[in-house]
Amino acid sequence: MKLQRMNRRALTLGALAVSGALALTACGSDDNGGGSGSSTSSSAANASSIDCGSAKKGEQLLSDGSSAQKNAIAAWVKNFTQACGVQINYKAGGSGAGVTAFTQGQIPWAGSDSALKPEEVTASKSVCSGGQGIDLPMVGGPIALGYNVPGVDNLVLDAPTLAKIFDSKITKWNDAAIKKLNPSATLPDLKIQAFHRSDESGTTDNFTKYLIAATPDNWKYSGGKAWQAKGGQSAPQSSGVAQQVKATSGAIGYFELSYVTDGMKAVSINTGAAAPVAPSTDSATKDIAAAQVVGTGSDLTLKLDYNTKAEGAYPITLVTYEIVCDKGNKAATLPATKAFLAYIASEDGQKILSTIDYAPIPDTIITKVRSTIASIS
C-alpha cells in the first residue's frame, strides 16, 4: 500500500508540474519533491470558487523564499492561474533569499520558515510605506529525517542521537546509541553521511531549534538559518538535500515530508512518549495545534513546542509564513498579491495541503490570517 501511495503521489505531482509550467519557472528553484495532489475535479472546483478580486488577467507576480512550501505553492498556483490568469513565478531560493528580496523591495511577498527578526522588520519599513512586514502562518508540516540505510526499514532516533550524528560525533550506523534505540534492527557497519542545507534556510532554523530545545547538552550551537555545526556534507534547498540522501548509501538529511519519495524512508522520533512518532500531517498538526501566537498587532508569529512529549505529536515541525506589508503595498502588485494570499488561506486552499503531505494551519489561527489579509493595503 505504501509503494502504491508513493507512486500515486509521484504521478500526481508530475501532472501538476506539467500543467503549471507556464506559472512557475525553474530558474533558481528546487525540483519538485514527492507529494500527492488533488484530483482534476477537485482542482476545477477550487479554481472556480477563487475570488480574483481586482487582479488583472495576464499579470505576472514574482516571489521568492522557502523551498519547504514549494510543492504547496505549485498546487496553489495551478488553481489560481486557471481561475485568474495571473502568472506567478515563485523562485523557492530559500527563506533567507526570500526575506532579503522582500526587505529590498524586489518582490511584494516572500515565504519564510522563520519569522522576521527585529532588524528585518526595521528594514521592511523602508519598502512598506507607512507600514511594515508581517508574518502570516500559511503552511505547516513535519521536517522529516530521510535516510538511506540498506536493510533498515523502521529506524528510530532521539534528539541526543540526532545531535551527535549531525555534529559528527556518531559516525557509524552500528553505533551503540543507535543499536539501543533499534534493538531488533540489523544495523550495518556503514559510515554515516549527514547532509545539511548549504543555503540559509528556515528548515535549518527549525531543525536546530528542535535540537536546542530537546537536547541542549548535546547541541551547543546558537541556531539560525545558517548551518553552524562542523563536518557533514551540504546541498542547496530541500530538493538538493533529498536528492543527495536518495543517491548516497548511508545518508541522512532533513527536509519536508513531501520530499520523502520512493526509495527513501523517514525516521521515527523517540520523544519520551509511549511510542516513537513518525512524521505525518496528523502528527505535525497535533504539535502545531498547541502553538501560541506571540506576534503583536497584525503579525501572527507562532511559538512552537519543539520539546513536546504529547502522545502522537511529532516534535520537528515548521510553519511557513507568507511575509507581506500590512500597509504601504505597491499599487501595481497589491490586487494580485491580496487575491492570491486570500485564496491560499481560504478553506479550499488549506484543504489542498493534507493531500500533498503538508499540515493545514489550525482553524483558530487561519481565521486570524484571513482577517489580516483582508485588511492589508
Side-chain angles (χ1 to χ4, degrees):
M1 290 296 291
K2 182 177 181 180
L3 181 59
Q4 291 174 348
R5 178 176 177 268
M6 290 295 190
N7 289 336
R8 190 166 61 248
R9 286 193 327 193
L11 288 171
T12 305
L13 192 60
L16 280 176
V18 172
S19 60
L22 293 177
L24 289 172
T25 74
C27 178
S29 65
D30 296 358
D31 294 328
N32 280 347
S36 56
S38 53
S39 67
T40 303
S41 60
S42 176
S43 295
N46 284 330
S48 65
S49 65
I50 293 172
D51 183 356
C52 301
S54 300
K56 297 179 181 178
K57 188 174 182 179
E59 282 187 80
Q60 293 190 4
L61 193 65
L62 305 179
S63 187
D64 196 0
S66 164
S67 64
Q69 69 169 355
K70 185 187 175 185
N71 295 335
I73 292 288
W76 283 329
V77 164
K78 176 180 179 291
N79 287 340
F80 188 76
T81 298
Q82 179 182 342
C84 304
V86 176
Q87 295 186 0
I88 298 177
N89 178 352
Y90 183 73
K91 192 174 178 182
S95 297
V99 170
T100 297
F102 175 74
T103 56
Q104 291 180 351
Q106 298 171 7
I107 54 176
W109 63 274
S112 176
D113 308 320
S114 299
L116 291 170
K117 297 177 181 178
E119 61 269 25
E120 292 168 340
V121 173
T122 299
S124 73
K125 292 180 180 179
S126 65
V127 297
C128 302
S129 180
Q132 65 180 48
I134 56 173
D135 302 279
L136 302 176
M138 198 70 71
V139 181
I143 300 174
L145 277 302
Y147 69 95
N148 180 354
V149 183
V152 180
D153 293 329
N154 299 295
L155 185 67
V156 175
L157 296 174
D158 59 11
T161 307
L162 281 167
K164 292 172 185 177
I165 287 173
F166 280 91
D167 202 20
S168 303
K169 293 178 180 176
I170 291 179
T171 59
K172 289 289 189 73
W173 280 110
N174 62 350
D175 186 273
I178 302 177
K179 284 183 177 180
K180 185 176 180 180
L181 290 164
N182 300 272
S184 62
T186 302
L187 298 166
D189 182 12
L190 180 64
K191 182 180 178 182
I192 295 174
Q193 307 278 358
F195 284 88
H196 58 265
R197 289 281 289 269
S198 60
D199 54 323
E200 288 201 356
S201 161
T203 310
T204 293
D205 189 18
N206 284 276
F207 176 52
T208 54
K209 280 178 179 177
Y210 159 71
L211 296 176
I212 291 167
T215 184
D217 291 343
N218 293 297
W219 195 259
K220 300 294 188 179
Y221 304 98
S222 61
K225 294 176 184 175
W227 185 257
Q228 297 172 327
K230 307 302 180 184
Q233 302 183 61
S234 65
Q237 283 88 50
S238 292
S239 65
V241 176
Q243 288 166 4
Q244 290 299 321
V245 171
K246 188 174 182 179
T248 307
S249 181
I252 185 171
Y254 57 90
F255 33 80
E256 294 64 46
L257 183 60
S258 62
Y259 290 94
V260 179
T261 56
D262 291 345
M264 197 190 307
K265 303 174 182 69
V267 172
S268 292
I269 304 297
N270 182 339
T271 64
V277 185
S280 70
T281 56
D282 288 342
S283 62
T285 297
K286 286 185 179 180
D287 186 51
I288 296 171
Q292 297 178 328
V293 176
V294 294
T296 58
S298 298
D299 186 86
L300 297 175
T301 299
L302 302 179
K303 182 179 180 181
L304 300 171
D305 183 2
Y306 297 98
N307 198 26
T308 181
K309 293 177 175 57
E311 298 298 330
Y314 186 78
I316 319 176
T317 57
L318 62 73
V319 168
T320 301
Y321 299 94
E322 311 311 331
I323 295 171
V324 66
C325 297
D326 58 352
K327 298 177 183 178
N329 288 276
K330 294 179 181 178
T333 55
L334 176 60
T337 298
K338 192 168 182 176
F340 182 67
L341 293 179
Y343 162 58
I344 67 179
S346 71
E347 185 177 350
D348 283 344
Q350 288 289 301
K351 278 181 179 178
I352 290 174
L353 294 177
S354 60
T355 71
I356 49 176
D357 289 330
Y358 293 97
I361 300 299
D363 287 343
T364 55
I365 299 171
I366 201 66
T367 299
K368 296 177 182 178
V369 172
R370 293 167 186 156
S371 176
T372 301
I373 292 171
S375 69
I376 65 174
S377 60

